[in-house]
Amino acid sequence: MRIRSAPAITGIAAIALMATACTGGGDSDTEGGSAGGGLTIWTDAERAEAVEAAADEFAEANGIEVSVDTVAFEDMQGDVLNAHQAGNAPDVFIGAHDWTGNLVRNGAVQPIELPQDKAALLDETSLEAMSFDGQLFGVPYSQENLFLMRNAELAPDAPETFEELVETGTELKDAGDVDEVLSMAVTQEGDPYRMNLLFTSGGGYLFGRDDTGTWDPTDLGVGTDESIEAMEKVAEYGEEGEGVLRRSIGLENDAALFYDGDTAFFVAGPWNLADAQEAGIDYEISAFPGFEGGGPASPYIGYQSFFVTEGSENSALAEEFVTNYVTDTDFILSLYEIDPRTPVQTEALESVSADDADIAAIAEAGADGIPMPSIPEMGETWQPLGVAQADIIGGADPREAMEAAARTISEQIGE
């Protein structure tokens, strides 16, 4: 990753003097990129209020016009790519870190030179996640990861290993206190996002990395001996083994099992907090435990970030916004207030954690997490890997299932 040691944004003052001194913000459509010395920012509606406040401040400070347009988050990546091709893309937009590889390969985003003093404010892994081919392509502000949510009345102590979790859950089930040892969404199609916890603890991996730290699609781990051995370990707890992992548990019922007291352990995400509180469960949050003697159960971490569009006439202004405003503690806290995800900026995280024990616990649970691979090939892995993992939990041979998945993925990504 290339990080400049001192700020060197040039041309901003000249641009500001040439621009019209007025502020914008709050538009509800997407008419395209900015003209002249102004700036256009795309965000989703949920976070628009916080972005508009920062945009207004930036506009006033630089004597320019800044327009904030809203786009549905699920449409953001596609709309940016289409707008970029049409020549009317925004200068800055909000997005997910795992879009990075696709955006870079489509030439839609430009590298960002984040000054060292700004980079030092952010979690190092978050910057690694936003990097591609050794260059930083976005400034992250928040993260989310899976964790173990535990019913503290049924299970007062956090398990240190997966085996301990199974032992406690089985005792509760045998005593008739619960119906399930663990609620972990598997589904008939599989859920590699959640299964990554046990997959990595057992020694499995999806993609390796090259010398720059970028995920390497030529190093596909799915069919390797390490990954097969990991799924053999997982199979011990599948439907033909301990019966802890079952395909009948999916996203439609995994949370309800926990909220209704039918299980003491739940593989949860930040999006489950509000419902858990409403359900009145006395819950505790901790890291999901790995296999005894295995590696850490690494949750995938997703980051929310701000990108600068390649080819923007106002790239210096855009980079100034993402390096100095997106890293500002007050701005990050304003985003947290309307979208409570874990901040990656240290001061903001400390501030939030002081009042929100759940956020502090979730951040700690993600300490051994790994960024979701951001290469375009990632999209070709979900379905075949998920099906293989679900089949293994259902009793299929791990080697046959994983090698078949590896062949399918390799064909799809052309490796």
Side-chain angles (χ1 to χ4, degrees), residues 17-32:
L17 290 171
M18 293 169 62
T20 301
C22 59
T23 64
D27 293 347
S28 59
D29 57 2
T30 57
E31 295 180 353

Side-chain angles (χ1 to χ4, degrees), residues 57-397:
E57 183 179 335
F58 184 76
E60 183 176 0
N62 290 279
I64 61 167
E65 179 179 2
V66 180
S67 174
V68 177
D69 298 336
T70 58
V71 178
F73 191 76
E74 61 270 24
D75 297 331
M76 184 73 73
Q77 184 179 192
D79 284 0
V80 166
L81 291 172
N82 290 333
H84 184 261
Q85 192 170 31
N88 58 1
D91 304 289
V92 175
F93 63 96
I94 199 168
H97 91 271
D98 54 318
W99 302 352
T100 305
N102 191 44
L103 292 168
V104 171
R105 292 190 180 181
N106 280 280
V109 290
Q110 71 173 44
I112 295 170
E113 298 198 10
L114 189 64
Q116 187 60 50
D117 62 327
K118 300 296 183 184
L121 301 174
L122 306 178
D123 175 76
E124 185 176 351
T125 305
S126 71
L127 295 175
E128 293 174 0
M130 298 307 308
S131 299
F132 194 89
D133 285 342
Q135 292 183 297
L136 184 69
F137 280 92
V139 177
Y141 80 90
S142 72
Q143 72 171 58
E144 59 187 19
N145 55 269
L146 295 173
F147 48 84
L148 180 67
M149 184 176 279
R150 184 180 85 258
N151 185 320
E153 292 184 6
L154 295 170
D157 300 320
E160 294 186 3
T161 66
F162 185 67
E163 287 80 358
E164 281 187 19
L165 182 156
V166 172
E167 181 180 359
T168 301
T170 301
E171 289 175 355
L172 291 168
K173 185 177 179 180
D174 291 345
D177 294 329
V178 299
D179 295 326
E180 299 289 348
V181 174
L182 166 69
S183 183
M184 179 176 185
V186 175
T187 83
Q188 298 294 333
E189 296 77 29
D191 190 328
Y193 178 68
R194 286 167 176 76
M195 189 53 63
N196 195 63
L197 293 162
L198 292 173
F199 185 53
T200 55
S201 179
Y205 73 100
L206 185 50
F207 289 113
R209 302 195 199 216
D210 63 20
D211 294 340
T212 70
T214 299
W215 296 101
D216 181 1
T218 67
D219 184 5
L220 177 64
V222 174
T224 62
D225 287 343
E226 298 98 316
S227 293
I228 292 167
E229 289 171 5
M231 289 310 300
E232 288 173 343
K233 187 72 174 175
V234 170
E236 295 177 16
Y237 298 91
E239 294 167 17
E240 300 295 319
E242 300 263 356
V244 173
L245 304 171
R246 298 193 294 108
R247 291 169 294 174
S248 59
I249 300 177
L251 296 178
E252 73 284 355
N253 64 347
D254 65 336
L257 287 170
F258 183 76
Y259 301 153
D260 293 342
D262 293 329
T263 182
F265 300 110
F266 172 36
V267 178
W271 48 86
N272 296 119
L273 290 176
D275 288 339
Q277 292 161 1
E278 186 175 342
I281 298 289
D282 179 13
Y283 67 82
E284 296 286 345
I285 291 171
S286 60
F288 189 84
F291 291 119
E292 183 175 358
S298 301
Y300 276 136
I301 300 181
Y303 297 96
Q304 296 285 301
S305 63
F306 285 80
F307 294 92
V308 173
T309 309
E310 176 64 37
S312 166
E313 294 180 0
N314 310 305
S315 61
L317 280 167
E319 189 160 338
E320 166 72 2
F321 180 81
V322 299
T323 56
N324 287 325
Y325 281 69
V326 174
T327 57
D328 179 75
T329 302
D330 290 339
F331 177 48
I332 294 172
L333 291 177
S334 69
L335 286 168
Y336 168 81
E337 289 299 322
I338 58 176
D339 181 35
R341 306 180 202 231
T342 307
V344 299
Q345 198 245 33
T346 303
E347 185 175 344
L349 177 59
E350 291 175 351
S351 175
V352 169
S353 297
D355 297 323
D356 189 336
D358 285 346
I359 289 294
I362 291 171
E364 187 173 346
D368 287 322
I370 56 175
M372 181 92 71
S374 59
I375 52 177
E377 291 83 358
M378 184 66 182
E380 306 296 340
T381 68
W382 294 111
Q383 195 272 342
L385 180 58
V387 169
Q389 292 177 335
D391 287 348
I392 291 167
I393 288 170
D397 180 77

Side-chain angles (χ1 to χ4, degrees), residues 39-56:
L39 204 65
T40 295
I41 303 171
W42 282 8
T43 180
D44 58 347
E46 185 177 16
R47 288 170 278 193
E49 182 178 347
V51 175
E52 286 170 0
D56 286 346

